[in-house]
Structure formats: structure tokens, C-alpha cells
Amino acid sequence: MKRNFNEWFKTFRNSICDYAYYVNFEKVYGNVDNIKVELNILNSLIGSKDIENDFEKLIAEYPKILKCIPILLAVRGSEIYAIDGDGEYIFNFKKMNYSVTEYKMFMRKTGLFDLISNRIINNLVDYVTGVEVGLDSNGRKNRGGHLMENLVEDYLIKAGLVKDTDYFKEMYISDIEKRWNLDLSNISNTGKTEKRFDFVVKKGNTVYGIETNFYASNGSKLNETARSYKTITLEAKEIKGFAFVWFTDGIGWQSAKHNLEETFDVLDNIYCIADLENGIVNELFK
């Protein structure tokens, strides 16, 4: 039975965030553990009444504590640039490239001495853990790009498909051709383009090339994607033993709804999250 595009489109979601999307705590804890010893040494400065001299003594005895300084300012890397009326500096925190007096100036002018000596914080390990959580939130965009892919894979596994036996991740056209002796020159422009599918499923006599994506916001890329996948759909129909499947969702498609509908009209195997929830993977890959 032919599906109704508008009814199908009404099920599209605003978000696809899973539980691991917000913070990668494993990465946060690992970054903190790498400098935990040095941070605990720096903890001896908390509440210091003579922090500049105490800092100088600490640097002389434990020069490795320098590497902790950038993260206290939520900075990745080992160099920090600073300029004001007193001059221009590029401070190196792997190996001192200025005198301790200038590093004390850095600590003073950035406010780190005040932060530590005035007991605004009680523990630098806890403080840096918070900083790392904040910095890790910047990685959400990268994690978000894989959310639909991860969701589809969850359903493939639930359907009993086994990775590297029944389904394969990120497989190029040339590898598909070699593995199953298929001619995909229609899709690859006679070998001139090397397309990669997010997943490939081999079930029965058919090899399924699968694309996945989710768009929470609009943009010109959506129109391009819809047109591209419509082309692949038409090209794939001429290939015996191969089928193209597209899992997509996201309210961002609202801005490219017309182009998406054009692809929907020619691609039987286009599905959304609601279809996944309703068991389409089990039905498709019986």
C-alpha cells in the first residue's frame, strides 16, 4: 500500500539526543586523571597568604605543575597568547620560556592567583572536572552527527543481525563490488566516484546500501542530500541484487520538504524513526 507522505512526515522528531550525547564522562575523567597528581600539588596553594612566593617555590620543586595551568583557564594546548600595555607574550606551559616572574605575572593578571588564594574553589581536581565537562559540550556537534547512525545500528542488532557477518559499517562501493561480485558502476559513475554507505546489509539474494542522517535544523545541505539520494535511487533500480535504503528524520526537513517528497515518491525504502520503532528493520531484513 502506498504511504502518505504528509502523514509520514508528521512523525518527524525535533531531537534525537541519546544519553551519551550531552557529556562524554569517560573522556572527562581520563583528561583529569592525566594531570591529577599535578593538580593535587597545586592544591597546596589554596588559601595561601603569600601565593606568589609559594607558587615560585612550588614551580622550582615541581616544574611539571605548569602543564595544568591552561586547563584552569579552559584552554586546550600548551601555549597561551597574551598582550597588554606591559608587552606581548606567548607563554609555554610544557617548558618555561620566560622567567618565573613573568609566569607569576600571568597568574596574577589572569585572576588565577585570586581564584586559588581566596578559596573561591576548594579543590582543583573538582574544578578541572567541571571545566572539562564544559569543554566537552563543544563536542556535541560531532557526536550528534552519529546519533542516527547509532540508532539504526541498535535496531539492526535488535533484529538479530551480526556486525561483519550480516551488516557492515562504512563500506565503499568498490568493497561491495569485490565482496559480492556486483556491478555498481551506475552509482559510482563508472568507477569515477567512490561512494561510501553508512551500512551495508546482505540478506538473501540482496545487498542493501544504507544511508542514515538526522537534521534538527534547516540548511542548503538538505536539498542537496534529497536530490543526491533521489539520483542514487533511480540508478540503483537498474542494478540486480542491490537495493538502496535511506533512514532519515528531523524537523530540519521542513525547509526542504518538497525535495524530500520527490525522493519519497521514487524510493520505497525511505524510513524515519517511527518506522524503526514500528519494526521496519525486522520486516525489511527477514
Side-chain angles (χ1 to χ4, degrees), residues 11 16 27 34 39 44 64 70 88-89 112 121 135 140 154 160 181 202 208-209 215 220 238 240 245 248 253 267 282:
T11 71
I16 193 180
K27 178 183 174 184
N34 288 337
L39 288 171
S44 66
K64 285 187 176 181
E88 182 179 21
Y89 296 88
L112 287 176
I121 56 173
L135 289 175
R140 289 176 185 168
D154 282 346
N181 195 29
K202 174 64 167 68
Y208 298 86
Y215 295 104
S220 59
E238 305 300 318
K240 186 178 180 180
V245 182
T248 193
W253 277 113
L267 177 57
N282 287 290

Side-chain angles (χ1 to χ4, degrees), residues 30-46 55 58-59 61-72 93 116 123-125 128:
N31 289 343
V32 175
D33 282 342
N34 288 337
I35 55 172
K36 184 175 281 187
V37 171
E38 290 79 8
L39 288 171
N40 277 313
I41 293 172
L42 273 175
N43 271 337
S44 66
L45 294 176
I46 293 177
F55 176 77
L58 210 60
I59 286 290
E61 191 167 354
Y62 304 104
K64 285 187 176 181
I65 63 171
L66 267 184
K67 70 181 183 180
C68 300
I69 304 302
I71 197 63
L72 298 182
F93 291 92
I116 296 169
N123 186 296
L124 286 168
V125 175
V128 170

Side-chain angles (χ1 to χ4, degrees), residues 149 152-153 156 167-169 197-200 208-210 212:
E149 187 177 322
V152 169
E153 186 169 16
L156 293 177
Y167 80 91
F168 305 81
K169 289 188 71 171
F197 289 100
D198 291 333
F199 296 99
V200 173
Y208 298 86
I210 302 171
T212 67

Side-chain angles (χ1 to χ4, degrees), residues 4 12 16 22 65 82 84-85 169 191 201 214 219 223 229 231 253 269 271:
N4 181 281
F12 275 33
I16 193 180
Y22 298 97
I65 63 171
D84 65 6
K169 289 188 71 171
V201 171
F214 183 96
N223 288 318
Y229 289 178
T231 299
W253 277 113
N269 294 329
Y271 305 110

Side-chain angles (χ1 to χ4, degrees), residues 135-165:
L135 289 175
D136 184 72
S137 67
N138 295 327
R140 289 176 185 168
K141 184 175 182 180
N142 292 332
R143 290 195 289 272
H146 295 283
L147 287 175
M148 190 67 172
E149 187 177 322
N150 295 342
L151 184 63
V152 169
E153 186 169 16
D154 282 346
Y155 279 95
L156 293 177
I157 294 169
K158 286 179 183 177
L161 277 65
V162 178
K163 185 178 180 182
D164 295 331
T165 300

Side-chain angles (χ1 to χ4, degrees), residues 32 49 57 81 92-93 129 136 145 149 236 252 273:
V32 175
K49 301 300 183 185
K57 293 174 185 175
Y81 173 87
N92 190 307
F93 291 92
T129 300
D136 184 72
E149 187 177 322
I273 293 174

